Amino acid sequence: MITTRQQHAHFLACILLGLLIVLCISWEMWVAPLRTGGSWMALKVLPLVLPLRGVIRKDNYTMQWTSMLIWLYFTEGCVRAYSDKTSISAACASLEIFLSVCNFAAILVYLRPFKQAAKQRKMQNG
């Protein structure tokens, strides 16, 4: 049974994943592209699109590996926040860091009760 807290966390995880996708595309195409007119760096959003369906459907396995995938975007945000020369690009990187961390936290809040229940079953069975 999914609690209200888990429902809110799932909704938040979906919204944050969508926002991260929109941020990455707009950042590399229009806001602060590496090259004028857009950049192939916008393709970095493809790994985020892959788990979108599973995250929306509340697939626990997809949520688990998405929580690990998110750290790549956190790392990119950290690198670019400190190395990009334009302030708008650094701001986009900082927003990417924020969205990544919040997405990770929302996924953890959603998955924690499932993990605790699985651990309880394992303890009881053997």
Side-chain angles (χ1 to χ4, degrees):
M1 182 165 160
I2 296 177
T3 65
T4 304
R5 183 176 179 186
Q6 283 178 287
Q7 289 174 350
H8 291 286
H10 172 258
F11 180 73
L12 189 59
C14 292
I15 295 298
L16 290 167
L17 185 61
L19 287 174
L20 193 57
I21 290 169
V22 169
L23 171 69
C24 289
I25 289 173
S26 61
W27 179 10
E28 299 300 344
M29 293 302 293
W30 305 289
V31 177
L34 292 175
R35 295 173 191 229
T36 306
S39 166
W40 283 97
M41 283 288 290
L43 292 177
K44 72 182 180 186
V45 81
L46 289 178
L48 288 175
V49 175
L50 292 175
L52 189 58
R53 182 176 178 203
V55 170
I56 291 170
R57 290 183 169 193
K58 300 179 183 174
D59 181 29
N60 291 347
Y61 181 73
T62 304
M63 299 277 276
Q64 288 173 354
W65 67 261
T66 302
S67 71
M68 294 291 101
L69 175 69
I70 286 296
W71 289 113
L72 294 173
Y73 294 88
F74 171 80
T75 304
E76 185 213 14
C78 289
V79 170
R80 292 190 66 182
Y82 291 103
S83 65
D84 280 2
K85 295 178 180 167
T86 63
S87 61
I88 188 80
S89 186
C92 287
S94 297
L95 185 56
E96 184 178 35
I97 292 168
F98 176 76
L99 291 175
S100 299
V101 170
C102 290
N103 191 305
F104 181 77
I107 290 173
L108 286 186
V109 169
Y110 175 76
L111 289 176
R112 188 165 191 241
F114 294 119
K115 291 297 191 177
Q116 289 174 335
K119 191 175 184 179
Q120 287 279 340
R121 282 192 305 273
K122 186 176 179 181
M123 295 288 278
Q124 290 172 354
N125 291 335

